[in-house]
Amino acid sequence: MIYMAEIANIYRISGYYIKVKTKIPFIFECRAYKVENALEKVFSEVGSRHRVKRDRIFIERDKGIKTINAEDARNPEFLDMNADDFVIYR
């Protein structure tokens, strides 16, 4: 069986959602191959956790989407990504 290994990026996405006329800010970190996949993950997770529809979730314009290193990630899930044997198989 042959696997194709790709390097996934870590994205830090910041924005806010509106619930009952209140802006609630969030910062979400996820691992994805493309920006579109990362945005889909944000809409899915924030909408599911906080019961917010997609049209109420807003991503900041200037600094909303950043590609970060594993060392800069706040999520402990990404700490082992710098290991030599870390590979994501698709």
Side-chain angles (χ1 to χ4, degrees), residues 1-7 32-34 37 87-90:
M1 183 179 260
I2 299 173
Y3 291 102
M4 185 173 83
E6 289 186 31
I7 298 175
Y33 295 106
K34 295 190 262 182
N37 296 346
V87 177
I88 297 174
Y89 292 105
R90 218 175 174 196

Side-chain angles (χ1 to χ4, degrees), residues 32-49:
Y33 295 106
K34 295 190 262 182
V35 176
E36 294 85 14
N37 296 346
L39 286 173
E40 180 64 30
K41 184 74 170 172
V42 168
F43 287 132
S44 174
E45 289 290 323
V46 171
S48 177
R49 287 181 191 171

Side-chain angles (χ1 to χ4, degrees), residues 6 10 16 22 24 26-27 35 39 44 50-52 58 60 63-65 73-74 83:
E6 289 186 31
I10 301 175
Y16 63 92
T22 305
I24 302 171
F26 67 87
I27 296 175
V35 176
L39 286 173
S44 174
H50 302 288
R51 300 291 181 230
V52 179
F58 301 95
E60 294 178 6
K63 55 184 178 180
I65 303 172
R74 297 177 188 165

Side-chain angles (χ1 to χ4, degrees), residues 62-77:
D62 299 333
K63 55 184 178 180
I65 303 172
K66 291 183 184 176
T67 304
I68 59 172
N69 296 328
E71 297 91 25
D72 299 334
R74 297 177 188 165
N75 191 343
E77 176 183 331

Side-chain angles (χ1 to χ4, degrees), residues 80-87:
D80 62 346
M81 286 187 68
N82 285 340
D84 294 333
D85 59 345
F86 186 82
V87 177

